[in-house]
């Protein structure tokens, strides 16, 4: 077995064009690190609807230039098989380690395959790439990013010509083409021939951001902003300047791109401690709201002043921001369909129905939300918001930030705040309290064992609430294609359990709805909601064995 591993590693080494990973792999071979080699050659990174994502390093189970070149060759073959061999592929990238190298390799492979390739001028937010695909009439797009993953990760996200991320069967077809790629020395990779786009593509995106705001709306909200060491700062500040908002106060320690993400353990606004520097800046400058993007700026987090919270600032949940933006768009008189993933709050459906608007639920991910017919607004609880689907058919943390700032400005002129509007929504629709039980694992069998246990012995009650239905979403439903997930409906609550598609996590999404008769009842309703969520978390963890 050891000799087989060494042979595989030597064969990989002979193909690897990257001196850094060549040196890394050669050292592993020399030292005879069997366990490490086994981990890297246990299979291949699987190309799916999230594209590729994994830890940087040598070998087929890591993200590296060999893996990227094969992925690009497979995508090129897929496009040519669909009769798009002369089409344009736009390539964007973030500021993570190796992102620029992976973008260049992709451009070289596309050019060598006879397609036209254009690379964005510098590290830019993912929504700029999603916009550029439609703006330039491309047949596909690639974004090199690992979003909010740890520093040593990178990824490869693929879009087709409609500007949406791939979904089945395209992902399987591309994966088959990747598997069919032969030796890398047979993949043509010229040194030139592709285009590096100028700043005009960014200018066109920024011009489009104006479309999300109402003409003549107030633009007075004062914002503290953090890019979380990502690529959002220059684009967001330019968008705010164009729109006429006060210049955001930047969290200086996190404003510039840095692939080491030195001030955060995980560069995700939802992770504990990630917003500490933003809140410290807010305590010094007293803005109306705090806004954060994740490193590729496709997600948007919002925090509000809250004297009852330690530190004086409270992060809004993604479901809260999703409902606030929906209410704001309704107030502006928009038409169309509001859409969300099944793990997001049912409050959006109540807002849409009361306004006479369409509402649809999809599987998790904007690859599904963006495909809803007649979409006007889509959101997902993991801080993703699509507020301009004609411009960007994906989540966009820049335009979402603009819309949040507009709403905060409207409320400010009325002497009100975002929490005040949340209270209004609770009085009309009931208090919708959401939470998540999320378990990060090193051993993926923990996740599969938990899912198997819940399938074999589904809970009959959680937090004293009877489970009225238990659905295995792997079988599909009348509205949804099959997916690895479980959905439980309870009396006044809902639970969905699924493995994460992008991280080694088991995620459980919880929602309870507590009726509210008057403003005086809100504190008790919130306490009851928190109590039920805690009870559901406890009982669900026991049922899943986690």
């Amino acid at each position: 077995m050891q000799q087989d591993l060494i042979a595989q590693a030597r064969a990989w080494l002979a193909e690897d064009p990257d001196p850094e990973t060549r040196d890394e792999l050669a050292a592993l071979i020399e030292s005879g690190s069997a366990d490490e080699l086994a981990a890297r050659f246990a299979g291949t990174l699987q190309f799916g609807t999230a594209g590729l994502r994994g830890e940087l390093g040598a070998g087929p189970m890591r993200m590296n230039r060999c893996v990227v070149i094969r992925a690009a060759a497979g995508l090129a073959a897929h496009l040519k098989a669909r009769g798009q061999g002369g089409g344009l592929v736009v390539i964007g990238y973030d500021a993570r380690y190796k992102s620029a190298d992976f973008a260049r390799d992709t451009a070289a492979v596309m050019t060598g395959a006879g397609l036209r390739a254009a690379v964005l001028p510098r590290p830019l937010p993912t929504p700029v790439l999603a916009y550029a695909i439609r703006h330039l009439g491309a047949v596909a797009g690639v974004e090199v990013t690992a979003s909010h993953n740890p520093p040593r990760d990178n990824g490869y996200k693929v879009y087709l010509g409609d500007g949406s991320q791939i979904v089945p069967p395209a992902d399987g077809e591309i994966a088959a083409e990747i598997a069919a790629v032969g030796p890398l020395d047979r993949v043509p990779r010229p040194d030139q021939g592709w285009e590096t786009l100028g700043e005009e593509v960014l200018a066109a995106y920024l011009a489009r951001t104006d479309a999300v705001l109402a003409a003549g709306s107030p633009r007075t909200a004062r914002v503290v902003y953090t890019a979380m060491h990502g690529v959002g700062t220059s684009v967001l500040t330019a968008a705010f300047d164009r729109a006429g908002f006060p210049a955001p106060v930047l969290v200086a320690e996190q404003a510039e791109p840095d692939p080491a993400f030195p001030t955060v353990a995980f560069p995700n606004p939802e992770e504990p401690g990630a917003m500490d520097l933003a809140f410290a800046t807010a305590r010094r400058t007293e803005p109306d709201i705090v806004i954060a993007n994740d490193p590729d700026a496709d997600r948007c987090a919002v925090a509000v002043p809250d004297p009852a919270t330690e530190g004086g600032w409270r992060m809004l949940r993604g479901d809260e921001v999703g409902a606030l933006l929906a209410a704001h768009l309704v107030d502006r008189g928009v038409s169309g369909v509001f859409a969300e993933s099944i793990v997001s709050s049912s409050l959006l459906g109540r807002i849409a129905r009361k306004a006479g608007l369409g509402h649809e639920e999809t599987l998790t991910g904007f690859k599904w939300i963006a495909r809803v017919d007649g979409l006007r607004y889509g959101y997902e609880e993991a801080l993703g918001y699509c507020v301009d689907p004609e411009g960007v058919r994906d989540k966009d943390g820049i335009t979402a930030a603009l819309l949040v700032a507009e709403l905060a400005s409207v409320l400010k002129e009325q002497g009100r705040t975002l929490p005040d509007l949340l209270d209004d929504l609770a009085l009309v629709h009931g208090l919708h309290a959401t939470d998540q039980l999320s378990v990060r694992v090193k051993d993926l069998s923990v996740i599969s064992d938990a899912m198997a246990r819940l399938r074999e012995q589904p809970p009959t009650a959680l937090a004293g609430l009877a489970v009225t239905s238990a659905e295995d979403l792997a079988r599909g439903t009348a509205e949804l294609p099959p997916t690895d997930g479980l959905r439980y409906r309870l009396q006044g609550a809902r639970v969905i359990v699924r493995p994460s598609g992008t991280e080694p996590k088991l995620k459980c999404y919880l929602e309870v709805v507590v009726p509210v008769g008057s403003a005086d009842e809100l504190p008790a309703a919130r306490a009851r909601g928190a109590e039920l969520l805690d009870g559901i978390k406890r009982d669900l963890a026991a049922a899943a064995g986690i």
Side-chain angles (χ1 to χ4, degrees):
M1 179 64 74
Q2 173 111 4
Q3 289 308 114
D4 288 346
L5 265 180
I6 295 293
Q8 288 181 65
R10 290 193 186 283
W12 186 274
L13 185 64
E15 286 195 323
D16 193 343
D18 187 333
E20 187 175 333
T21 45
R22 282 179 57 82
D23 289 347
E24 176 187 311
L25 186 54
L28 291 174
I29 295 170
E30 180 68 24
S31 65
S33 303
D35 290 347
E36 185 63 27
L37 287 171
R40 291 163 182 259
F41 288 87
T44 59
L45 279 184
Q46 293 301 300
F47 186 94
T49 50
L52 293 167
R53 198 175 288 187
E55 184 180 350
L56 291 164
M61 288 296 290
R62 299 288 186 265
M63 281 295 296
N64 51 65
R65 291 182 62 194
C66 291
V67 166
V68 165
I69 290 166
R70 289 183 183 280
L75 174 59
H78 173 75
L79 295 172
K80 291 169 78 172
R82 296 177 67 198
Q84 297 175 320
L88 173 68
V89 178
V90 188
I91 302 149
Y93 59 103
D94 66 12
R96 283 178 177 266
Y97 295 119
K98 298 289 183 183
S99 287
D101 294 340
F102 295 165
R104 186 183 187 281
D105 281 331
T106 302
V109 170
M110 295 301 163
T111 303
L115 289 120
R116 293 180 294 125
V119 183
L120 292 185
R122 53 189 168 89
L124 288 167
T126 293
V128 177
L129 181 277
Y131 168 80
I133 295 167
R134 289 163 58 79
H135 176 65
L136 298 173
V139 297
V142 171
E143 177 69 18
V144 181
T145 181
S147 188
H148 56 279
N149 275 39
R152 287 301 302 169
D153 286 6
N154 213 329
Y156 198 82
K157 189 183 294 188
V158 176
Y159 298 74
L160 293 181
D162 62 356
S164 300
Q165 296 177 51
I166 54 170
V167 294
D171 58 338
E173 293 166 0
I174 295 170
E177 295 284 8
I178 294 171
V181 174
L184 288 192
D185 60 9
R186 297 182 190 171
V187 178
R189 302 198 310 278
D191 291 330
Q192 57 186 357
W194 58 89
E195 178 185 3
T196 299
L197 296 167
E199 294 292 320
E200 63 275 3
V201 68
L202 176 59
Y205 167 81
L206 286 169
R208 176 78 200 185
T209 61
D210 297 348
V212 306
L213 302 173
S217 63
R219 314 279 168 92
T220 57
R222 294 176 299 107
V223 173
V224 159
Y225 170 73
T226 176
M228 207 66 66
H229 297 296
V231 296
T233 296
S234 65
V235 180
L236 182 133
T237 53
F240 269 59
D241 181 59
R242 282 183 61 93
F245 286 101
V249 175
L250 303 182
V251 179
E253 301 93 331
Q254 299 174 334
E256 295 303 316
D258 187 337
F261 302 104
T263 68
V264 289
F266 288 93
N268 178 355
E270 293 178 293
E271 292 285 346
M275 295 291 288
D276 286 355
L277 287 171
F279 292 161
T281 305
R283 286 191 289 273
R284 289 195 306 269
T285 59
E286 298 185 343
D288 298 303
I289 54 174
V290 171
I291 289 177
N293 287 141
D294 67 340
D296 68 326
D298 63 351
R299 299 171 194 247
C300 177
V302 182
V304 295
D306 184 355
T309 300
E310 184 179 355
W313 284 84
R314 175 173 73 88
M315 276 277 288
L316 296 181
R317 302 193 66 84
D319 284 318
E320 292 178 307
V321 178
L324 287 168
L325 292 179
H328 182 46
L329 290 170
V330 166
D331 191 54
R332 280 178 32 183
V334 304
S335 59
V337 177
F338 284 9
E340 62 184 321
S341 61
I342 57 172
V343 301
S344 303
S345 172
S346 61
L347 178 56
L348 183 71
R350 298 189 185 207
I351 292 171
R353 285 188 291 274
K354 188 172 191 301
L357 300 175
H359 172 252
E360 285 198 32
E361 285 187 321
T362 74
L363 293 183
T364 307
F366 272 82
K367 56 186 176 282
W368 299 108
I369 293 171
R371 285 180 159 76
V372 168
D373 287 340
L375 180 67
R376 176 57 184 86
Y377 168 63
Y379 101 91
E380 182 158 86
E381 57 76 42
L383 309 182
Y385 314 94
C386 175
V387 300
D388 178 25
E390 288 305 305
V392 175
R393 291 193 179 178
D394 199 2
K395 55 186 178 290
D396 183 346
I398 304 297
T399 50
L402 285 172
L403 200 61
V404 167
E406 179 184 63
L407 172 57
S409 300
V410 170
L411 293 169
K412 184 178 181 180
E413 296 220 338
Q414 299 168 358
R416 306 176 73 236
T417 64
L418 297 180
D420 291 335
L421 181 53
L422 287 172
D423 288 350
D424 292 350
L425 293 173
L427 290 172
V428 174
H429 302 288
L431 178 76
H432 288 62
T434 61
D435 203 352
Q436 190 178 128
L437 172 62
S438 181
V439 181
R440 184 181 293 272
V441 302
K442 291 186 177 179
D443 180 359
L444 292 177
S445 68
V446 172
I447 294 175
S448 56
D449 289 350
M451 295 296 289
R453 180 168 172 161
L454 289 171
R455 284 187 166 105
E456 291 163 9
Q457 295 180 298
T460 57
L462 296 168
L465 303 177
V467 175
T468 57
S469 71
E471 297 172 275
D472 187 345
L473 299 177
R475 299 173 183 149
T477 72
E479 300 83 20
L480 300 170
T483 188
D484 187 8
L486 302 165
R487 178 164 60 185
Y488 305 113
R489 300 187 191 277
L490 301 87
Q491 295 172 345
R494 182 218 64 202
V495 173
I496 293 175
V497 184
R498 59 179 282 272
S500 170
T502 57
E503 298 177 271
K505 281 184 176 181
L506 181 68
K507 291 188 169 184
C508 310
Y509 304 85
L510 324 175
E511 178 180 52
V512 299
V513 183
V514 181
V516 183
S518 69
D520 292 341
E521 296 177 16
L522 277 169
R526 287 202 178 87
R528 176 59 175 160
E531 177 188 9
L532 287 171
L533 288 171
D534 285 345
I536 292 172
K537 268 191 192 179
R538 180 188 62 244
D539 293 351
L540 184 63
I546 54 176

